Amino acid sequence: MKQILEVRNLHKVYPSGTHALKGVSFDVYEGEFLVVIGLSGSGKTTLLKCINRLEEPTSGTVRFLGEDITHIHGKHLREVRRNIGMVFQQFNLIKRMPVINNVLAGKLGYMKTLPSILGNFPPECIQEAIKNLEIVGIKEYAYERADKLSGGQQQRVAIARSLMQSPKLLLADEPVASLDPATSNSIMQYFEKVNKELGVTVICNLHFLSLVRRYASRVIALKNGEIVFEGSPREIDEKWFKTIYGEEAEEVEIR
Amino acid sequence: MLEPELEFHPREKILKKRKNQEKINLIKAILLDIFFVFYTILVLQRAIYYKVILDLRELPFSWTEIGLFLVVSIGIGTIWGLSRTSLGARIMGLAEETKSAKLVSEIFAWALFNLTFISGWLVTKISIIDLFSKEGIEGANRIFSSLFTPEMGIFDDALFAIIETIYLALIATLLSIPPTLILSFVTARNLMKDNIFTFSIYYVLRIILNFVRSIEPLIWAIIFSVWVGIGPYAGMIALLVHTIAANAKLYSEAIESIEEGPVDAITATGANKLQIIWYAVVPQIVLPFLSFTIYRWDINVRMATVIGLVGGGGIGTMLMQYQGLGQWHEVGLIVIMIAIVVWIMDYISAKIREAIY
């Protein structure tokens, strides 16, 4: 298996003094569906943002496809970011724009500044956008305003936007945390589809263990900025659960 | 697994930072206390002792006295601040949580407030007698009765003057838009904080804009009426300058308070800075910008009448002339017309702003 991401001894200290990551190291291999679990505030979001450098790591290294990307900047950084898609908990669409423009925004890294600002997307880009909307099953909403859509539909737009980047790696930061259980499951199925059918490696932060067991090929668990568990989802039993989520925690089943 | 490549001790770093922060806060607290004590002594001496007890008309002033007060307050403020029972220490969050420390700072704060209120009252020379004296009431009566019987003979002149005022305000608002847009982006903290070069641009421009904004349009009108001559042009430039400074602040605050999420999302696609601004920032600020600009036109019409008083042209200049001649019937007509126009502008701008949201 080819290694796609290598994270070594990653630290992140925020200016406020919060020590969010304390020496995190792990590897990700091509085609994996890696799920990161842990309580809120355990450093999951910071970890993802340090990978595509939305946050600057304080120390440690991140290697993407064998290349050290911890300190690159400018054009080089933007070219690396093109290959790493990202989906967020709050969808982060441009609310006042039509769905199709939101999807096309995923292509910005490949476009020259002037045509992209004038909105001159080449026809093949637009076709690709429609195709990606078809993959997530909301082609018919292409010309609706993004904020007219439901939460689940908006998240599907966000997935389509990240697919425009033709990513090698897809980061998903609690993509279903603001959705209801039924919609959560359907969104996770789209991630599975992207992972299995398009061959995109996925790193996904999740809360619900039932979803983790159903979709993850491997799991790492963060607690207070440190990795406390690494292994297959089947290995997470009652004991591990208490270690990760604390003694008072009790598993709730969602279907 | 590889061994860590970098020796790193964040905990010590954090502790050191916290200690430094505490030191800075203590210095701030002491400075605050020095100011409070100095202020108290000054007000007690000048407002309470000279004005009330001695009832002096002209207050004596000497630098040595003030210097002495300053030295005394530095002494008291420092000792008090270091004891951590002072108001300054409480404001900076360093005070001891004992009952007596709490009581001391509460009493001192209450005393400061009352002292300020009493001396404010004295300085303003509030007098019920002046408001209800016989001659006073007669004078007010005379003016009010002529204001309510306006002279319609100058209606056409006044109409043209007020149209001039509206146009002047409109042009000032329109011309302000392009420079305000540019300035608002370079004075938005979240866009400029990334490196030292852009941050220093941000900082310098902020200072300049604050300075320009702190000078009222009335003063700008006086400056420009000397510069380009009395008339609507001077009034327009005065409004333009102030509008740019005031709206750049409002616009940049709108930029600073946008949702960060879409910015993260567009950044993650590999877009460059301009693309990020165009796709993630601009769509979020178009409406507030429009709303501010329309509201500013409304404000500018009102201000244009005021700066007309100092030679900014339009209805204000006309009002000034008739007021100087004591022709109160004419003044009455002008005031009524201004009131009507301001009311209409207010209504229209409110309706437009409602409609676009």
Side-chain angles (χ1 to χ4, degrees):
Chain A
M1 266 195 299
K2 202 179 152 206
Q3 188 191 51
I4 192 161
L5 190 76
E6 177 193 296
V7 176
R8 283 292 171 272
N9 199 24
L10 200 67
H11 282 267
K12 173 68 187 178
V13 181
Y14 283 102
S16 62
T18 314
H19 199 171
L21 295 176
K22 300 169 182 163
V24 172
S25 305
F26 63 96
D27 300 291
V28 185
Y29 296 94
E30 217 160 55
E32 271 194 301
F33 198 117
L34 177 70
V35 169
V36 185
I37 58 173
L39 290 170
S40 304
S42 60
K44 302 192 299 290
T45 301
T46 308
L47 177 62
L48 288 196
K49 286 188 165 181
C50 282
I51 293 172
N52 68 352
R53 298 270 309 282
L54 288 180
E55 293 286 353
E56 293 299 326
T58 312
S59 76
T61 53
V62 179
R63 283 174 175 279
F64 177 65
L65 292 171
E67 181 193 9
D68 186 351
I69 60 164
T70 329
H71 302 291
I72 58 170
H73 49 82
K75 196 154 187 282
H76 193 177
L77 174 61
R78 295 202 296 273
E79 278 168 10
V80 169
R81 274 182 182 154
R82 283 198 317 216
N83 294 316
I84 307 177
M86 188 160 187
V87 175
F88 302 81
Q89 181 184 347
Q90 299 299 338
F91 327 131
N92 293 350
L93 301 180
I94 318 298
K95 293 197 178 79
R96 305 183 58 81
M97 279 192 187
V99 166
I100 185 87
N101 291 45
N102 269 289
V103 177
L104 285 166
K107 251 313 182 248
L108 287 175
Y110 293 91
M111 303 247 323
K112 288 220 156 48
T113 306
L114 195 62
S116 64
I117 282 178
L118 295 175
N120 275 335
F121 290 93
E124 58 267 27
C125 268
I126 297 171
Q127 276 165 19
E128 198 187 335
I130 299 279
K131 195 196 84 199
N132 284 331
L133 280 173
E134 216 171 344
I135 291 178
V136 293
I138 42 168
K139 196 176 124 193
E140 63 274 23
Y141 293 107
Y143 294 94
E144 296 276 328
R145 246 176 68 161
D147 54 358
K148 291 275 181 286
L149 270 55
S150 72
Q153 289 166 336
Q154 291 195 34
Q155 195 59 300
R156 278 140 82 179
V157 176
I159 295 173
R161 172 172 66 190
S162 68
L163 290 181
M164 289 301 282
Q165 296 172 232
S166 332
K168 302 225 169 30
L169 176 65
L170 182 60
L171 308 173
D173 184 20
E174 298 186 23
V176 296
S178 19
L179 301 174
D180 62 72
T183 317
S184 294
N185 201 42
S186 106
I187 290 294
M188 288 311 294
Q189 279 170 355
Y190 287 110
F191 280 109
E192 192 178 36
K193 192 171 169 187
V194 168
N195 176 246
K196 294 251 161 70
E197 288 172 25
L198 306 178
V200 179
T201 312
V202 176
I203 305 180
C204 182
N205 291 347
L206 277 182
H207 268 309
F208 287 111
L209 274 180
S210 53
L211 291 176
V212 177
R213 293 206 181 94
R214 164 98 170 67
Y215 294 100
S217 66
R218 194 156 61 94
V219 180
I220 57 179
L222 282 179
K223 190 180 185 183
N224 298 324
E226 281 166 304
I227 295 186
V228 292
F229 173 85
E230 186 168 1
S232 111
R234 268 165 288 125
E235 292 168 38
I236 308 175
D237 51 14
E238 188 72 7
K239 192 172 138 275
W240 271 116
F241 183 78
K242 297 263 193 229
T243 320
I244 298 164
Y245 286 99
E247 280 303 322
E248 297 89 51
E250 224 176 278
E251 192 175 347
V252 215
E253 190 70 24
I254 67 154
R255 288 178 194 283
Chain B
M1 240 183 245
L2 286 172
E3 279 300 298
E5 293 155 13
L6 219 134
E7 201 59 34
F8 189 69
H9 300 289
R11 190 157 298 139
E12 281 169 29
K13 227 181 188 175
I14 296 165
L15 280 179
K16 206 174 162 194
K17 214 170 178 184
R18 220 169 267 165
K19 244 183 191 166
N20 277 339
Q21 194 59 43
E22 217 158 84
K23 256 185 216 162
I24 293 170
N25 278 348
L26 185 62
I27 292 171
K28 280 185 191 164
I30 290 173
L31 286 177
L32 265 177
D33 282 326
I34 292 173
F35 170 76
F36 286 146
V37 175
F38 186 53
Y39 174 80
T40 311
I41 299 176
L42 268 189
V43 172
L44 275 178
Q45 187 217 18
R46 301 191 74 78
I48 308 297
Y49 182 66
Y50 284 160
K51 268 245 155 135
V52 180
I53 298 176
L54 298 184
D55 198 18
L56 299 177
R57 255 168 201 276
E58 301 225 340
L59 304 190
F61 181 88
S62 87
W63 279 113
T64 42
E65 205 176 76
I66 295 214
L68 187 72
F69 288 163
L70 192 58
V71 171
V72 171
S73 34
I74 287 174
I76 298 178
T78 312
I79 295 167
W80 203 14
L82 284 174
S83 76
R84 307 209 171 194
T85 55
S86 66
L87 187 57
R90 187 150 299 276
I91 290 171
M92 298 311 299
L94 298 170
E96 285 172 30
E97 287 303 322
T98 60
K99 239 184 189 160
S100 59
K102 234 177 202 165
L103 201 66
V104 167
S105 53
E106 267 167 23
I107 289 174
F108 187 53
W110 186 233
L112 269 180
F113 175 75
N114 281 316
L115 203 61
T116 307
F117 184 78
I118 291 167
S119 45
W121 181 284
L122 293 172
V123 168
T124 327
K125 297 178 184 154
I126 290 176
S127 156
I128 306 289
I129 301 159
D130 285 352
L131 197 59
F132 291 109
S133 72
K134 200 158 174 258
E135 306 94 86
I137 298 245
E138 267 172 18
N141 225 340
R142 208 166 48 241
I143 291 184
F144 274 119
S145 62
S146 27
L147 286 182
F148 286 117
T149 50
E151 166 63 56
M152 294 304 287
I154 58 155
F155 179 75
D156 47 348
D157 285 345
L159 190 64
F160 275 110
I162 208 157
I163 288 173
E164 189 178 283
T165 297
I166 295 172
Y167 276 9
L168 185 157
L170 178 67
I171 293 296
T173 313
L174 287 179
L175 289 184
S176 77
I177 294 173
T180 311
L181 275 181
I182 296 167
L183 281 172
S184 64
F185 279 98
V186 291
T187 54
R189 195 188 175 89
N190 52 347
L191 300 180
M192 302 297 280
K193 65 171 186 231
D194 289 342
N195 69 54
I196 292 180
F197 176 67
T198 53
F199 192 73
S200 45
I201 294 180
Y202 155 87
Y203 211 80
V204 171
L205 280 177
R206 272 262 154 141
I207 291 173
I208 296 174
L209 285 179
N210 278 338
F211 179 72
V212 172
R213 199 177 46 246
S214 65
I215 300 174
E216 283 294 307
L218 200 65
I219 315 288
W220 283 115
I222 293 171
I223 294 170
F224 284 111
S225 60
V226 174
W227 192 337
V228 300
I230 286 176
Y233 184 42
M236 195 281 285
I237 302 184
L239 283 182
L240 176 62
V241 168
H242 197 260
T243 302
I244 290 172
N247 269 8
K249 165 106 174 160
L250 285 177
Y251 283 20
S252 61
E253 272 170 7
I255 296 174
E256 282 167 7
S257 63
I258 59 165
E259 275 182 70
E260 284 293 321
V263 176
D264 277 352
I266 299 296
T267 309
T269 66
N272 64 33
K273 194 96 194 174
L274 270 174
Q275 290 171 324
I276 295 168
I277 289 177
W278 188 254
Y279 274 84
V281 181
V282 171
Q284 294 194 56
I285 54 177
V286 169
L287 284 189
F289 278 25
L290 254 178
S291 167
F292 290 150
T293 309
I294 292 167
Y295 186 46
R296 188 69 202 190
W297 181 29
D298 174 15
I299 292 174
N300 276 352
V301 170
R302 264 176 279 169
M303 281 202 180
T305 53
V306 178
I307 61 174
L309 299 177
V310 295
I315 193 83
T317 305
M318 196 170 168
L319 177 68
M320 196 64 196
Q321 285 158 359
Y322 284 110
Q323 183 263 329
L325 297 171
Q327 294 178 323
W328 298 109
H329 296 284
E330 282 80 356
V331 170
L333 177 75
I334 293 170
V335 168
I336 290 170
M337 287 179 72
I338 291 174
I340 292 172
V341 167
V342 166
W343 181 75
I344 293 173
M345 289 292 305
D346 202 57
Y347 183 77
I348 293 174
S349 91
K351 279 286 156 199
I352 296 177
R353 278 180 288 136
E354 257 171 47
I356 58 175
Y357 262 107

